[in-house]
């Protein structure tokens, strides 16, 4: 889970500022670290660090980054890794044919196999990044033309990726053959921008051109833009991006994330109607589906929960003693709206089950007469090996308990998850990876463990 951005520009002065604001718009895709690399006449300079976009870059750092091609990333820390400075992207390397920068979102399913093969041949690794395997493969591909090398390397990659690469004179972007990760192309004047999500285009005043197609690689240089396709598979875009991860003001593969979530809420009401006085959404990810539920049911939508806007990455978990005292650090109830009401609480998903249990308890304590939970996705039952940081199965409540058991454990009057059919109907077609909800993934796990 990361956000990537690339710009092929003409305006050397403003490119680092554009990168900054573009990455700012993609911040929801990763909060652990960020980096910007810029090509200046074949020399790639970069600035990267642990932290949020507005914490990492000072104005002077940005002024020092000049050039006409740039790539950048915001990175999410996977739950099984610590915060490690060596793992900040973009990765910048020098090889026989010059400098190369790589920024990546996704997960290579055959990472350990490829890494081991490279190590056998003498490659040395300094990071745990998938992009370092990609960079090594490109450097060893042995083709004079970088485009040919990248093409060859992509043929051997299994897994999900949205990839942006920069050489001395080219910006290259590629999306995996299933289109599991999002990647779009935009244009402003003569300048091209590629971004994980279109919300960054809106921020930058860039016109959306089109999505990069599943399996497509585009090469942008002084001659313009060239599109290179490799083998095409049935599209399998990550459903969890639509459910939770992507920003609602983004449009991915022609589908508005906002409208998808609104539809999920409407379908949820059709599947599991309930008599109630108010509908509320769990901030922030359940709110749009809650509005959809309200529109379909004619039950008024209102604000029931207030989120502390400043709880962020550096959030210190409360001690057991404080938790037992019931500290409400992230969320609090708006008692004026809840007391004496039959409440429908809509949330996007249940993963471990801790958030919904606490929220439901708070609603009851605030005097809700009834609490009905409606979840705008099917139960999350499988861990994802394709780049979504879903916990392992033993920590997924949906993998270990029935809906009835979960309902009893949370202590609510009713609980309903959107059906898989209902989800796909709301999304508009069947071209989605639903692996975390069904266990069926387009690409299997390469069972190999890295040594
Ligand atoms: P829980 O069931 O306590 O694990 O929390 C689930 C809630 O966390 C969902 O309603 C989402 O809004 C949010 N969520 C889902 N997946 C993730 C994730 N990979 N990382 C952080 N939050 C998530």
């Amino acid at each position: 889970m990361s956000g990537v951005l690339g710009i092929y520009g003409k305006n050397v002065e403003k490119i680092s500022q554009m990168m900054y604001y573009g990455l700012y718009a993609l911040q929801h895709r990763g909060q652990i670290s960020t980096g910007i690399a810029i090509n200046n006449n074949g020399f790639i300079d970069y600035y990267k660090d642990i932290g949020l976009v507005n914490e990492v870059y000072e104005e002077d750092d940005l002024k020092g980054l000049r050039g006409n091609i740039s790539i950048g990333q915001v990175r999410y820390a996977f739950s099984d890794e610590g915060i490690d400075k060596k793992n900040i992207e973009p990765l910048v390397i020098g090889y026989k044919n010059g400098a190369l920068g790589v920024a990546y979102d996704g997960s290579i399913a055959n990472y350990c196999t490829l890494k081991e093969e490279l190590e056998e041949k003498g490659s040395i690794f300094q990071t745990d990044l998938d992009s370092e395997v990609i960079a090594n493969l490109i450097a060893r591909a042995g083709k004079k033309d970088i485009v040919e090398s990248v093409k060859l390397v992509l043929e051997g990659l299994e897994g999900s990726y949205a990839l942006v690469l920069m050489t001395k004179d080219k910006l290259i972007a590629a999306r995996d053959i299933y289109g599991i990760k999002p990647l779009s192309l935009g244009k402003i004047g003569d300048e091209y921008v590629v971004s994980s999500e279109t919300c960054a285009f809106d921020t930058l005043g860039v016109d959306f051109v089109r999505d990069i197609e599943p399996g497509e690689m585009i090469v942008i240089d002084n001659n313009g833009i060239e599109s290179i396709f490799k083998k095409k598979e049935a599209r399998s875009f990550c459903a969890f991006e639509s459910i939770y991860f992507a920003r609602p003001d983004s449009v991915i593969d022609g589908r508005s994330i906002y409208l998808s979530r609104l539809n999920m809420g409407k379908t949820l009401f059709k599947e599991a109607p309930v008599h109630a006085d108010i509908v509320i959404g769990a901030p922030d990810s359940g709110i749009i589906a809650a509005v959809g539920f309200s529109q379909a049911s004619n039950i008024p939508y209102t604000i029931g929960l207030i989120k502390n806007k400043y709880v962020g990455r550096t959030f210190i978990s409360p001690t057991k003693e404080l938790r037992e005292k019931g500290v409400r650090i992230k969320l609090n109830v708006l008692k004026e709206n809840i007391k004496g009401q039959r409440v429908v609480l809509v949330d996007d998903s249940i993963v471990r089950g801790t958030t919904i249990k606490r929220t439901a308890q708070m609603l009851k304590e605030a005097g809700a007469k009834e609490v009905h939970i409606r979840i705008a996705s099917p139960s999350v039952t499988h861990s994802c090996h394709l780049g979504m940081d879903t916990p392992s199965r033993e920590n997924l409540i949906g993998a270990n308990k029935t809906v009835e058991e979960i309902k009893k454990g949370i202590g609510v009057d009713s609980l309903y998850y959107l059906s898989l059919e209902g989800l796909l109907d709301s999304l508009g077609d069947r071209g989605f990876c639903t692996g975390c909800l069904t266990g069926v993934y387009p690409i299997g796990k390469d069972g190999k463990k890295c040594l």
Side-chain angles (χ1 to χ4, degrees), residues 163-234:
L163 186 62
V164 287
L165 284 158
M166 172 173 63
T167 67
K168 65 178 190 308
D169 59 356
K170 290 180 182 19
L171 177 69
I172 301 174
R175 196 170 169 201
D176 68 76
I177 49 174
Y178 299 94
I180 297 168
K181 290 284 153 192
L183 194 61
S184 302
L185 174 69
K187 203 171 180 211
I188 176 167
D190 292 340
E191 306 187 334
Y192 286 98
V193 183
V194 286
S195 169
S196 289
E197 287 185 41
T198 59
C199 61
F201 296 158
D202 297 334
T203 300
L204 296 174
V206 165
D207 293 326
F208 169 74
V209 176
R210 63 178 180 84
D211 293 287
I212 314 276
E213 297 281 316
E216 185 183 11
M217 167 176 151
I218 59 165
V219 179
I220 305 167
D221 60 17
N222 244 344
N223 301 320
I225 183 162
E226 188 191 357
S227 167
I228 298 162
F229 270 92
K230 59 176 191 158
K231 198 174 77 188
K232 240 186 155 175
E233 292 286 342

Side-chain angles (χ1 to χ4, degrees), residues 24 55 107 139 153 164 183 260 297 424:
Y24 208 5
E55 296 167 349
S107 181
V153 170
V164 287
L183 194 61
S260 297
S297 62
L424 295 172

Side-chain angles (χ1 to χ4, degrees), residues 1 76 240 243-245 282-286 347-357 375 380 388-391 395-397:
M1 292 151 78
Y76 182 96
F240 213 69
I243 293 167
Y244 166 73
F245 197 49
D284 297 315
S285 46
D347 202 354
D348 66 296
S349 59
I350 297 180
V351 181
R352 293 175 198 80
T354 33
T355 315
I356 201 76
K357 184 171 181 181
I375 302 297
V380 176
M388 197 52 80
D389 189 31
T390 333
N395 296 313
L396 295 174
I397 195 166

